[in-house]
Amino acid sequence: MSSFFGENIRFSVFGQSHSEGIGVVIDGLPAGERVDTQRIAGFMARRAPGRNPGDTPRREADEARVLSGLLDGLTCGAPLCAVIENTDARSGDYEKLRHVPRPGHADYALQEKFHGFQDVRGGGHSSGRLTAPLCFAGAVCIQILERRGVTLRATITKMGDVEEARRRGDSVGGVIECVAEGLPAGLGAPMFGGVENRLAAALFGIPAVRGVEFGAGFRVASLLGSENNDEYYIENGHVRTKTNRHGGVLGGVTTGMPLVLRVAIKPTPSIALAQRSVDLRTMEETGLVIGGRHDACIVPRAVPVVEAVTACVILDLMMEGRL
Amino acid sequence: MSSFFGENIRFSVFGQSHSEGIGVVIDGLPAGERVDTQRIAGFMARRAPGRNPGDTPRREADEARVLSGLLDGLTCGAPLCAVIENTDARSGDYEKLRHVPRPGHADYALQEKFHGFQDVRGGGHSSGRLTAPLCFAGAVCIQILERRGVTLRATITKMGDVEEARRRGDSVGGVIECVAEGLPAGLGAPMFGGVENRLAAALFGIPAVRGVEFGAGFRVASLLGSENNDEYYIENGHVRTKTNRHGGVLGGVTTGMPLVLRVAIKPTPSIALAQRSVDLRTMEETGLVIGGRHDACIVPRAVPVVEAVTACVILDLMMEGRL
Amino acid sequence: MSSFFGENIRFSVFGQSHSEGIGVVIDGLPAGERVDTQRIAGFMARRAPGRNPGDTPRREADEARVLSGLLDGLTCGAPLCAVIENTDARSGDYEKLRHVPRPGHADYALQEKFHGFQDVRGGGHSSGRLTAPLCFAGAVCIQILERRGVTLRATITKMGDVEEARRRGDSVGGVIECVAEGLPAGLGAPMFGGVENRLAAALFGIPAVRGVEFGAGFRVASLLGSENNDEYYIENGHVRTKTNRHGGVLGGVTTGMPLVLRVAIKPTPSIALAQRSVDLRTMEETGLVIGGRHDACIVPRAVPVVEAVTACVILDLMMEGRL
Amino acid sequence: MSSFFGENIRFSVFGQSHSEGIGVVIDGLPAGERVDTQRIAGFMARRAPGRNPGDTPRREADEARVLSGLLDGLTCGAPLCAVIENTDARSGDYEKLRHVPRPGHADYALQEKFHGFQDVRGGGHSSGRLTAPLCFAGAVCIQILERRGVTLRATITKMGDVEEARRRGDSVGGVIECVAEGLPAGLGAPMFGGVENRLAAALFGIPAVRGVEFGAGFRVASLLGSENNDEYYIENGHVRTKTNRHGGVLGGVTTGMPLVLRVAIKPTPSIALAQRSVDLRTMEETGLVIGGRHDACIVPRAVPVVEAVTACVILDLMMEGRL
């Protein structure tokens, strides 16, 4: 059991790459919030393939149909369920892969976990396609956050040379940074329920994420305390820090400075190059060439996904219980 | 609400640096497991100050008293509660800090969250002292894991020059790597309840952690897919990968290869150097010199803490529900 | 946030009486379990209106479409989502009710909770219609339980005279008893995570349930200890009790005897008789006559729902974490 | 894993009847709330044995020591841990019972669950003694609730003749009703996270509770809809119902009318009369006479426990997340 996150708002994602549909249930949204579905579609389009040179040629309309939770365009307090039909699934490409796990994919791990019953078509439930409903959920949250003065924006801060990699049948990864502004100070909690804990737990749910860091992140290992500490000052009657190496969160709780996080995205494991693997039936080594349609780099498409997941967690944090 | 983690085993940590006691409740341990309290004491001693050149001069016996959950040295299925008395707390050092937040500490964030009612003495509930009960919990789990063939070991892979920093009243951080061996393949789950998600959520609960990564981690941004993918082969009838850039976990689920994770530890924010801050009463800027007893580098003391938290999460993952 | 239950399997229900669709996401089902959709349809038909004299004339096909989680008729470890389209919704009947709460319904409570933004059409998310996806979920679990030797059956043990009530525009309630056989001893847990706690929490989610009791239930108040205690004996090498006033569960944990529980179902609050209410706009008292289509007694239709919810919780309990 | 409850405030209970100590961790209390420990002691005294004719002769000071979470008598946002030492435990009385389960107790069920490793002394973790920390927790919450205008009071509405039962070595049960006043309308949620669900889940954690009902409860089975519905009217500008058969909660959400619930308490299973049981080692039937110190009726002592648990859940409900 694993495909949900959130404490005060619960986001449940369902679907497989080639199942009839994929979607999300969002339980616990505040009632009376206007949801602009046109804007959601615009946000989801940022994730859809075909906009960047390294993208998969798979084409999906990614039209989300809202089954529940909205009344006249406003949230009504009931769980919001959105469904996206899978229309361009070509299952023939994948069947052989059940017994020959692809390097860098979860194939073998899932084979062991689900005893061979997992859906291998297109990556099944572990497919990047499941980030479409995540984007839907994030787009809803972004609209609610904006009305509270919270905005966020992710950008690529590092990326390999896609063109060169694609030409060689290879792939590249990168780093995405997300900055959220307008958060109040005092959000989150110490120890295990804090901003970092909950964001990290959710962000590692995005396929291909291998690291999550806040503020100066891993760079803190090279800094002196005097370099890493952010001194306080007063600006227009507000407490601020002169620098923001803490990335807006200290000890699990926001300081009111911009929240800054970064995630490391690994190169797409599906590459055109021949690779070595094993046949799980014969337990012998074998060669493997992956067909199908793939991205040479998913980093650009992951940008809105990082925004989406961050927005979901922030809204969840803002709904924290209080008297 | 925030000071617990775990799905099948629940670890609840309580206490403040200067409260009467600190401790942990572990609910859901399997019954009939022998707990060697002598070995626990040995493990906790690795965290206690005074063993490394950069440590705080604060001295605590850190003797954990087990109030419940054990019968004749065996777990009995009831929640295990261990309490450590606070004996060397000197509260006089801290009172002034309520209104002048220390850079790099959570003081200001907590002041906003708890409206000034938080316990500021020695860092209160956010103090590194709370890692003592975490070590207790981890030491219990390590013993249970060892009987299932799972072992783990953390080491420092990067650290600043403590001696030089201490002499200047400054501090340094570092990176700790933890490797767990003997994990079965198939542990964890896709998306949000996976190995990475749950480990990261818990590890960010260790004070001063600013980043968590698995396998190649942030280095994936510089690798080609063909470099980052780990090819499978057969060794003694077992599926293994030739390299381990995936760090033993793919898509939330273990592969049976050693689990490899790293956490970034920031330099101790309490430094002897004069810093700038603000007075929250007058909302004016002011200078700040931090007295009290502090570590110039907590990285060595954090090593067993990283092992402890990792062990807790792994045991929790191994208790996953099944028919 | 409220429309899910379960610890190891998570059941998330969504939809409103008149939204585009209703459904359920079941996250955490064991993989490789055959799901017979024909048998599910048969089970769901027991809940559908039109089989009993007191039923609402609303007609719905209640055809559940599985969007995800199944592959070739077997669970694949991914969340199973089933959607039922709403086809016979007549929203015109309800609009006036937003401001004049119906006695015995949650109208006024929801108006206060959701500040008037709740979906009032047909009871919205609180409608008995939401028990259709519950029945779907229960029917899945029943099939899995049967393969482990667990069977369950609910029956009506008390009910008012429907015919007489319906003729007078009134309604009646009743009591449903559910018995589950084949449960192993040792299922559940002491205190708050036990069999009674989790069953009660879920069963009170069925609309109109006002009480839940186990074994002798409220009758224990009239019994002596010597009458209420069930003495043990040996039958074919198994420990059993001569009587079953404990209803198969003691202190949160099963004994291996049949699990016996009862729920009290109140009379349908929608009655044809004139009632007094208030107009929330003018804050003045007013008369109210409820139109629309209603059941004079929902007890017979609630029987499979009680079975369904009980089955979901039992399967969840059987999935409890262990090493 | 089972010994905690609560969503926004987490109450974790630990200890066994004869372990070194018992206690509770309360995580998530609002900060800045004054806690009068004298009043807590007074509340806990209502539960202590020796006040009613049917009580056990065991004597415990039941002095709760607060280890954390309070600063100068005010909650500080950190988990509050209170410990009660066990001082009058006489373990000799119980050892034989490991293999001969007492009728009406959880002995056999726990033996199966914990494979014989459970603590049998005095009922171990399932002992009524664990209601002492529950009373502590409830007493804290009652003080916080009172400041918000919420008060509650439990009373015995049915009880057997204790004197007669005790003389014969037997025991009696009863029914306790709890009424909470001052709750705002709109508290709770539809379906599974509602007032009834969460209260029932917690109340079944009190040892000996066999049924939980709200408002008219099981009596609804004998009522017509026109009798059970509570009509609305206006009183001093507030919406109220003329009668309160709904017990202040409809569909999971409060109406602002007094919350009314009842729990059925079974007769103490420990009776002095000879009973039949089995020896789990030889799997043969055997006689059993229970020695030790027991209550002939625990209903009076359970009254403050019902208040306590109800108060904990209500405060938890009032802390519900919101923007």
Short mmCIF file of all heavy atoms in Angstrom, two decimals, chain B residues 145-183:
data_model
loop_
_atom_site.label_atom_id
_atom_site.label_comp_id
_atom_site.label_asym_id
_atom_site.label_seq_id
_atom_site.Cartn_x
_atom_site.Cartn_y
_atom_site.Cartn_z
N LEU B 145 17.07 -7.10 13.40
CA LEU B 145 17.47 -7.23 12.00
C LEU B 145 18.62 -8.22 11.85
O LEU B 145 18.63 -9.03 10.91
CB LEU B 145 17.89 -5.86 11.44
CG LEU B 145 16.76 -4.86 11.18
CD1 LEU B 145 17.35 -3.50 10.79
CD2 LEU B 145 15.82 -5.37 10.08
N GLU B 146 19.57 -8.14 12.74
CA GLU B 146 20.73 -9.04 12.64
C GLU B 146 20.31 -10.50 12.64
O GLU B 146 20.87 -11.32 11.93
CB GLU B 146 21.69 -8.77 13.80
CG GLU B 146 22.59 -7.57 13.57
CD GLU B 146 23.57 -7.35 14.71
OE1 GLU B 146 23.58 -8.18 15.65
OE2 GLU B 146 24.32 -6.36 14.66
N ARG B 147 19.28 -10.81 13.45
CA ARG B 147 18.81 -12.19 13.48
C ARG B 147 18.16 -12.61 12.17
O ARG B 147 17.94 -13.77 11.91
CB ARG B 147 17.82 -12.38 14.64
CG ARG B 147 18.50 -12.44 15.99
CD ARG B 147 17.56 -12.94 17.08
NE ARG B 147 16.64 -11.91 17.54
CZ ARG B 147 16.93 -11.04 18.53
NH1 ARG B 147 18.08 -11.08 19.14
NH2 ARG B 147 16.05 -10.16 18.91
N ARG B 148 17.80 -11.61 11.33
CA ARG B 148 17.27 -11.90 9.97
C ARG B 148 18.33 -11.68 8.90
O ARG B 148 18.02 -11.60 7.72
CB ARG B 148 16.08 -10.99 9.67
CG ARG B 148 14.74 -11.56 10.14
CD ARG B 148 14.58 -11.36 11.61
NE ARG B 148 13.36 -11.98 12.12
CZ ARG B 148 13.07 -11.99 13.41
NH1 ARG B 148 13.89 -11.48 14.30
NH2 ARG B 148 11.97 -12.57 13.83
N GLY B 149 19.58 -11.54 9.33
CA GLY B 149 20.66 -11.43 8.35
C GLY B 149 20.86 -10.06 7.77
O GLY B 149 21.57 -9.89 6.78
N VAL B 150 20.24 -9.05 8.37
CA VAL B 150 20.40 -7.68 7.88
C VAL B 150 21.38 -6.94 8.80
O VAL B 150 21.18 -6.89 10.01
CB VAL B 150 19.06 -6.94 7.84
CG1 VAL B 150 19.25 -5.49 7.37
CG2 VAL B 150 18.08 -7.67 6.93
N THR B 151 22.42 -6.39 8.21
CA THR B 151 23.37 -5.60 8.99
C THR B 151 23.53 -4.24 8.34
O THR B 151 23.29 -4.09 7.13
CB THR B 151 24.75 -6.27 9.03
OG1 THR B 151 25.20 -6.47 7.67
CG2 THR B 151 24.69 -7.62 9.73
N LEU B 152 23.92 -3.25 9.12
CA LEU B 152 24.11 -1.95 8.49
C LEU B 152 25.21 -1.17 9.21
O LEU B 152 25.49 -1.40 10.38
CB LEU B 152 22.83 -1.14 8.41
CG LEU B 152 22.16 -0.57 9.64
CD1 LEU B 152 20.99 0.31 9.21
CD2 LEU B 152 21.62 -1.67 10.53
N ARG B 153 25.84 -0.29 8.46
CA ARG B 153 27.00 0.43 8.94
C ARG B 153 27.07 1.79 8.25
O ARG B 153 27.05 1.87 7.04
CB ARG B 153 28.27 -0.37 8.65
CG ARG B 153 29.57 0.34 8.94
CD ARG B 153 29.75 0.70 10.39
NE ARG B 153 29.90 -0.49 11.24
CZ ARG B 153 29.98 -0.44 12.58
NH1 ARG B 153 29.94 0.74 13.20
NH2 ARG B 153 30.11 -1.53 13.28
N ALA B 154 27.16 2.83 9.05
CA ALA B 154 27.32 4.18 8.50
C ALA B 154 28.76 4.65 8.68
O ALA B 154 29.44 4.26 9.64
CB ALA B 154 26.36 5.14 9.20
N THR B 155 29.21 5.45 7.74
CA THR B 155 30.56 6.01 7.82
C THR B 155 30.53 7.45 7.31
O THR B 155 29.63 7.85 6.56
CB THR B 155 31.55 5.22 6.93
OG1 THR B 155 30.96 5.08 5.63
CG2 THR B 155 31.83 3.84 7.51
N ILE B 156 31.52 8.20 7.72
CA ILE B 156 31.66 9.58 7.25
C ILE B 156 32.37 9.55 5.91
O ILE B 156 33.46 8.98 5.79
CB ILE B 156 32.45 10.42 8.26
CG1 ILE B 156 31.71 10.47 9.60
CG2 ILE B 156 32.70 11.83 7.72
CD1 ILE B 156 32.52 11.08 10.73
N THR B 157 31.78 10.14 4.88
CA THR B 157 32.44 10.15 3.57
C THR B 157 32.98 11.53 3.24
O THR B 157 33.71 11.70 2.27
CB THR B 157 31.48 9.70 2.46
OG1 THR B 157 30.33 10.53 2.49
CG2 THR B 157 31.08 8.25 2.65
N LYS B 158 32.60 12.51 4.04
CA LYS B 158 33.09 13.87 3.81
C LYS B 158 32.95 14.66 5.09
O LYS B 158 31.94 14.53 5.78
CB LYS B 158 32.27 14.53 2.69
CG LYS B 158 32.76 15.88 2.26
CD LYS B 158 32.10 16.33 0.96
CE LYS B 158 32.75 17.60 0.45
NZ LYS B 158 32.17 18.00 -0.85
N MET B 159 33.95 15.45 5.43
CA MET B 159 33.85 16.25 6.64
C MET B 159 34.88 17.37 6.59
O MET B 159 35.98 17.18 6.09
CB MET B 159 34.09 15.40 7.89
CG MET B 159 33.66 16.09 9.18
SD MET B 159 33.62 14.96 10.59
CE MET B 159 35.36 14.86 10.98
N GLY B 160 34.50 18.52 7.10
CA GLY B 160 35.44 19.65 7.16
C GLY B 160 36.50 19.41 8.21
O GLY B 160 36.49 18.43 8.93
N ASP B 161 37.41 20.35 8.31
CA ASP B 161 38.52 20.24 9.27
C ASP B 161 38.06 20.76 10.63
O ASP B 161 38.03 21.96 10.89
CB ASP B 161 39.72 21.05 8.75
CG ASP B 161 40.96 20.86 9.62
OD1 ASP B 161 40.81 20.60 10.84
OD2 ASP B 161 42.06 20.94 9.08
N VAL B 162 37.70 19.84 11.52
CA VAL B 162 37.12 20.22 12.81
C VAL B 162 38.08 21.06 13.64
O VAL B 162 37.70 22.08 14.22
CB VAL B 162 36.76 18.96 13.63
CG1 VAL B 162 36.05 19.34 14.92
CG2 VAL B 162 35.92 18.01 12.81
N GLU B 163 39.33 20.61 13.68
CA GLU B 163 40.29 21.25 14.58
C GLU B 163 40.46 22.73 14.23
O GLU B 163 40.39 23.61 15.10
CB GLU B 163 41.65 20.52 14.49
CG GLU B 163 42.44 20.59 15.76
CD GLU B 163 41.56 20.63 17.01
OE1 GLU B 163 40.91 19.63 17.35
OE2 GLU B 163 41.51 21.70 17.64
N GLU B 164 40.66 22.95 12.97
CA GLU B 164 40.84 24.34 12.52
C GLU B 164 39.61 25.19 12.85
O GLU B 164 39.70 26.33 13.30
CB GLU B 164 41.10 24.36 11.02
CG GLU B 164 41.60 25.74 10.55
CD GLU B 164 41.62 25.80 9.03
OE1 GLU B 164 41.78 24.74 8.39
OE2 GLU B 164 41.48 26.90 8.48
N ALA B 165 38.38 24.60 12.58
CA ALA B 165 37.14 25.34 12.81
C ALA B 165 36.94 25.64 14.28
O ALA B 165 36.57 26.75 14.67
CB ALA B 165 35.95 24.53 12.28
N ARG B 166 37.22 24.66 15.13
CA ARG B 166 36.99 24.84 16.56
C ARG B 166 37.88 25.93 17.11
O ARG B 166 37.47 26.75 17.94
CB ARG B 166 37.27 23.53 17.30
CG ARG B 166 36.79 23.57 18.75
CD ARG B 166 36.72 22.19 19.33
NE ARG B 166 38.03 21.58 19.30
CZ ARG B 166 38.77 21.35 20.40
NH1 ARG B 166 38.31 21.68 21.59
NH2 ARG B 166 39.94 20.80 20.31
N ARG B 167 39.12 25.95 16.64
CA ARG B 167 40.05 26.95 17.11
C ARG B 167 39.53 28.36 16.82
O ARG B 167 39.69 29.27 17.61
CB ARG B 167 41.42 26.74 16.46
CG ARG B 167 42.55 27.21 17.34
CD ARG B 167 43.88 26.57 17.03
NE ARG B 167 43.86 25.60 15.95
CZ ARG B 167 44.18 25.88 14.66
NH1 ARG B 167 44.50 27.09 14.31
NH2 ARG B 167 44.17 24.92 13.75
N ARG B 168 38.83 28.49 15.70
CA ARG B 168 38.32 29.80 15.30
C ARG B 168 36.91 30.08 15.81
O ARG B 168 36.28 31.05 15.41
CB ARG B 168 38.35 29.91 13.78
CG ARG B 168 39.79 30.01 13.25
CD ARG B 168 39.89 29.73 11.76
NE ARG B 168 38.72 30.17 11.03
CZ ARG B 168 38.50 29.91 9.75
NH1 ARG B 168 39.39 29.21 9.05
NH2 ARG B 168 37.41 30.32 9.16
N GLY B 169 36.38 29.16 16.65
CA GLY B 169 35.02 29.35 17.14
C GLY B 169 33.98 29.05 16.09
O GLY B 169 32.83 29.48 16.18
N ASP B 170 34.38 28.30 15.09
CA ASP B 170 33.47 28.02 13.99
C ASP B 170 33.09 26.52 14.02
O ASP B 170 33.39 25.81 14.99
CB ASP B 170 34.15 28.36 12.66
CG ASP B 170 33.17 28.93 11.64
OD1 ASP B 170 32.01 28.47 11.63
OD2 ASP B 170 33.57 29.81 10.85
N SER B 171 32.42 26.03 13.01
CA SER B 171 31.98 24.62 13.00
C SER B 171 31.98 24.10 11.57
O SER B 171 32.03 24.87 10.61
CB SER B 171 30.58 24.51 13.59
OG SER B 171 29.66 25.21 12.78
N VAL B 172 31.94 22.78 11.43
CA VAL B 172 31.92 22.17 10.09
C VAL B 172 30.84 21.09 10.01
O VAL B 172 30.39 20.57 11.02
CB VAL B 172 33.29 21.53 9.74
CG1 VAL B 172 34.38 22.58 9.64
CG2 VAL B 172 33.65 20.44 10.74
N GLY B 173 30.47 20.77 8.77
CA GLY B 173 29.49 19.71 8.52
C GLY B 173 30.12 18.54 7.80
O GLY B 173 31.35 18.39 7.81
N GLY B 174 29.29 17.73 7.17
CA GLY B 174 29.83 16.58 6.48
C GLY B 174 28.75 15.73 5.83
O GLY B 174 27.57 16.12 5.78
N VAL B 175 29.18 14.61 5.31
CA VAL B 175 28.25 13.68 4.67
C VAL B 175 28.44 12.31 5.32
O VAL B 175 29.57 11.87 5.53
CB VAL B 175 28.50 13.58 3.15
CG1 VAL B 175 27.67 12.46 2.53
CG2 VAL B 175 28.18 14.91 2.47
N ILE B 176 27.33 11.66 5.64
CA ILE B 176 27.37 10.32 6.21
C ILE B 176 26.71 9.35 5.23
O ILE B 176 25.62 9.64 4.72
CB ILE B 176 26.65 10.28 7.58
CG1 ILE B 176 27.39 11.14 8.59
CG2 ILE B 176 26.52 8.84 8.08
CD1 ILE B 176 26.64 11.35 9.88
N GLU B 177 27.39 8.25 4.99
CA GLU B 177 26.83 7.22 4.11
C GLU B 177 26.45 6.02 4.97
O GLU B 177 27.20 5.63 5.87
CB GLU B 177 27.86 6.81 3.06
CG GLU B 177 27.37 5.71 2.13
CD GLU B 177 28.37 5.41 1.02
OE1 GLU B 177 28.36 6.15 0.01
OE2 GLU B 177 29.17 4.45 1.17
N CYS B 178 25.30 5.45 4.68
CA CYS B 178 24.89 4.25 5.40
C CYS B 178 24.62 3.14 4.41
O CYS B 178 23.93 3.34 3.40
CB CYS B 178 23.63 4.55 6.22
SG CYS B 178 23.15 3.19 7.31
N VAL B 179 25.17 1.97 4.67
CA VAL B 179 25.00 0.81 3.80
C VAL B 179 24.35 -0.31 4.61
O VAL B 179 24.84 -0.65 5.69
CB VAL B 179 26.35 0.34 3.23
CG1 VAL B 179 26.15 -0.90 2.35
CG2 VAL B 179 27.02 1.46 2.45
N ALA B 180 23.26 -0.84 4.08
CA ALA B 180 22.59 -1.97 4.74
C ALA B 180 22.70 -3.19 3.84
O ALA B 180 22.37 -3.11 2.65
CB ALA B 180 21.12 -1.64 5.01
N GLU B 181 23.15 -4.28 4.38
CA GLU B 181 23.30 -5.51 3.59
C GLU B 181 22.38 -6.59 4.12
O GLU B 181 22.02 -6.61 5.29
CB GLU B 181 24.75 -5.97 3.65
CG GLU B 181 25.71 -4.89 3.17
CD GLU B 181 27.04 -5.45 2.67
OE1 GLU B 181 27.03 -6.28 1.73
OE2 GLU B 181 28.08 -5.08 3.23
N GLY B 182 22.01 -7.48 3.21
CA GLY B 182 21.19 -8.61 3.60
C GLY B 182 19.69 -8.40 3.43
O GLY B 182 18.90 -9.26 3.78
N LEU B 183 19.33 -7.24 2.88
CA LEU B 183 17.91 -6.99 2.64
C LEU B 183 17.39 -7.90 1.54
O LEU B 183 18.04 -8.07 0.51
CB LEU B 183 17.71 -5.54 2.21
CG LEU B 183 17.79 -4.50 3.31
CD1 LEU B 183 17.77 -3.10 2.70
CD2 LEU B 183 16.60 -4.66 4.24
#
